[in-house]
Amino acid sequence: MMEKMVIQGGNPLQGSIRINGAKNAALPIMASCLLLKGTSRIKGIPELTDVKTLCEILNNLGVHTKRCEDHSLEITVQDDVNVTAPYDLVRKMRASICVLGPLLGRRGAAKVSIPGGCSIGPRPIDLHVKGIKALGAKVEMKDGYVIATGKRLKGNTVYLGGANGSSVLGTCNIMMAAVLGEGRTTITNAACEPEVQDLANFLNKAGARISGIGQKNLIIDGVDEMHGTHYEIIPDRIEAGTFMIAAAITEGRVVLENIVPNHLTSVIDKLEEMGINIRISTMNRGNAAGEKVTECIVEGDKEFHPVNITALPYPGIPTDMQAQFTALLSIVEGVSIITEKVFPHRFVHVAELNRMGANIRNDDAISIITGVPSLSGTTVMASDLRASASLVIAGLVAKGVTEIRRLYHIDRGYEKIEERLTDLGAKMWRERE
Ligand code: EPZ
């Protein structure tokens, strides 16, 4: 059933919200369980359609997945025969490519449908292929599939840089292919994103030997065997950043619980430069374990200043926050410039924001935003996950009613978005399209 979101704009967000585990850490970590013996229990797996899609792919590969209470997922490999991730499942989510490395690393073979392009632009996999070839795999591209074979891969040094820099899932795939390999693999120009670090930390807990985590040279010393483990996924920095912008644009005051401020340094810095008030505090939870909890208070009650932003690999401003910043800057007096260096075609939100009255000119990989006094509600179309988030943000502050069609995009990455925003005072609901 097709659904649309209806938002009555103009209500400041007030209150507290708990940030979920990170989607983009959960997906490769779930896929990496293909490498392990025994059962893993992973906490902080958000309830998202992307997670469901990956569960379907893993189930098809002989992996048993069981949802438990408290956002946990139990994962056990029961049958290690099938090595194919078919088109009908992969087409739903390009991140499905992250089964390539672990299948090859553990089963010596993988046949994964090649992900097509999408609304954020082409999604090549040449760096993934380069990496596994460097480890000795034979790779063939045939009938829309990448087919890789290679019993016990051999460590090597591989430079993983493309025209737009490092690759997040490319780094994850090569790391997963190499952990059960022979000898040392060094990935130079490795992606340093917190989600890549989380995968490395999970693999180490499961018995891998990975060092240089979070650095440009990532070192993997092969081991013979890895086993299931317990782990908790890091909080989702993109979900947190999205709610920060939603709080600021509505001139609200929101407390975010469960965040890692270090993962959000560039985002917080830019919001502060705009004049948004952000306070971080860490306190004891008051329990016997002396557990600490970090909160972030966002207040958007001042006049905002225009800023320039460049979306870059970590620790720069994430490309996954570019569309949300565009929505925010669209109502900030003056001119702001956004440059996208990671996915240079990721601008599908611009035309939709302009339909709501924004004044954004998009040229190559640059958006020139001239702030308007207000946006007005109308019907808009979501066409990618973060573009949808930017339309929700715009709808929260627009005059009148905004209707967002093709809502399924947002459910790929934000759990129960309308319930959680409604709890903060937004007026929004779902309707049949
Ligand atoms: C991950 O995608 C994320 N997805 C994306 O999040 C995120 O936008 C992106 O990293 C960048 O941070 C997941 O983690 C599941 P890349 P990934 O390989 O790994 C080029 C969201 O909204 N490239 O780091 O696929 C590529 O075209 C999503 O949650 C090659 O040239 O992105 C891009 O320009 C969307 N060859 C750049 O590298 C390759 O083989 C970075 O892409 C691979 C990538």
Side-chain angles (χ1 to χ4, degrees), residues 160 166-167 171 187-193 215-218:
L160 276 193
S166 53
S167 166
T171 304
I187 302 176
T188 65
N189 198 26
C192 302
E193 270 69 5
Q215 295 169 24
K216 282 280 155 204
N217 277 348
L218 189 64

Side-chain angles (χ1 to χ4, degrees), residues 172-193:
C172 291
N173 254 336
I174 308 318
M175 183 169 31
M176 293 188 280
V179 276
L180 290 176
E182 213 179 292
R184 173 169 285 196
T185 296
T186 305
I187 302 176
T188 65
N189 198 26
C192 302
E193 270 69 5

Side-chain angles (χ1 to χ4, degrees), residues 23-24 27 95 120 122-128 162-170 193 319-320 342-344 346 384-386:
K23 165 181 84 88
N24 289 347
L27 296 174
I120 73 174
R123 305 291 294 269
I125 57 161
D126 55 306
L127 297 173
H128 303 241
N164 301 311
S166 53
S167 166
V168 170
L169 290 177
E193 270 69 5
T319 170
D320 290 347
V342 181
F343 287 109
R346 192 175 199 175
D384 117 78
L385 168 54
R386 308 303 169 186

Side-chain angles (χ1 to χ4, degrees), residues 105-407:
R106 176 74 194 276
R107 301 184 183 177
K111 181 176 174 191
V112 181
S113 176
I114 299 169
C118 67
S119 52
I120 73 174
R123 305 291 294 269
I125 57 161
D126 55 306
L127 297 173
H128 303 241
V129 170
K130 177 183 177 187
I132 55 174
K133 273 188 178 165
L135 301 180
K138 287 207 164 48
V139 185
E140 197 189 356
M141 309 294 244
K142 202 172 159 221
D143 305 331
Y145 280 81
V146 48
I147 302 167
T149 47
K151 294 274 174 236
R152 192 113 205 237
L153 300 176
K154 282 208 169 45
N156 199 351
T157 295
V158 55
Y159 175 78
L160 276 193
N164 301 311
S166 53
S167 166
V168 170
L169 290 177
T171 304
C172 291
N173 254 336
I174 308 318
M175 183 169 31
M176 293 188 280
V179 276
L180 290 176
E182 213 179 292
R184 173 169 285 196
T185 296
T186 305
I187 302 176
T188 65
N189 198 26
C192 302
E193 270 69 5
E195 295 76 17
V196 180
Q197 298 181 33
D198 211 32
L199 170 66
N201 288 328
F202 171 76
L203 291 171
N204 275 352
K205 199 149 185 255
R209 285 175 56 207
I210 303 170
S211 53
I213 297 173
Q215 295 169 24
K216 282 280 155 204
N217 277 348
L218 189 64
I219 298 164
I220 303 121
D221 286 304
V223 296
D224 291 336
E225 201 173 280
M226 290 164 64
H227 45 81
T229 185
H230 286 210
Y231 196 74
E232 182 165 355
I233 303 273
I234 52 168
D236 195 317
R237 64 195 169 106
I238 307 301
E239 190 183 80
T242 304
F243 285 121
M244 283 179 179
I245 289 185
I249 203 170
T250 61
E251 299 189 26
R253 182 183 185 281
V254 171
V255 181
L256 305 172
E257 293 162 11
N258 191 35
I259 66 156
V260 179
N262 279 349
H263 293 170
L264 283 153
T265 306
S266 61
V267 170
I268 291 174
D269 186 75
K270 201 46 85 174
L271 291 173
E272 286 180 336
E273 190 185 330
M274 289 183 67
I276 292 152
N277 199 353
I278 297 185
R279 267 175 297 139
I280 310 274
S281 55
T282 303
M283 60 210 109
N284 284 322
R285 214 188 268 279
N287 57 12
E291 213 181 322
K292 291 198 174 358
V293 13
T294 299
E295 280 186 355
C296 171
I297 304 171
V298 184
E299 275 172 322
D301 56 357
K302 283 201 227 149
E303 293 237 316
F304 302 144
H305 315 296
V307 291
N308 295 338
I309 288 179
T310 305
L312 288 166
Y314 188 79
I317 302 256
T319 170
D320 290 347
M321 287 299 302
Q322 187 256 109
Q324 299 89 315
F325 267 110
T326 306
L328 174 59
L329 290 167
S330 74
I331 55 158
V332 175
E333 194 182 342
V335 176
S336 299
I337 297 175
I338 293 195
T339 309
E340 172 59 74
K341 294 267 190 193
V342 181
F343 287 109
H345 304 284
R346 192 175 199 175
F347 290 103
V348 282
H349 48 285
V350 167
E352 301 301 302
L353 290 172
N354 281 344
R355 297 194 64 250
M356 297 177 74
N359 180 0
I360 309 169
R361 196 158 60 82
N362 183 228
D363 202 359
D364 284 334
I366 293 175
S367 282
I368 301 162
I369 307 166
T370 306
V372 294
S374 62
L375 299 175
S376 54
T378 184
T379 303
V380 286
M381 197 80 89
S383 45
D384 117 78
L385 168 54
R386 308 303 169 186
S388 319
S390 82
L391 297 176
V392 170
I393 286 168
L396 290 173
V397 76
K399 292 206 159 81
V401 174
T402 301
E403 277 191 20
I404 306 176
R405 302 271 174 96
R406 297 204 188 146
L407 202 53

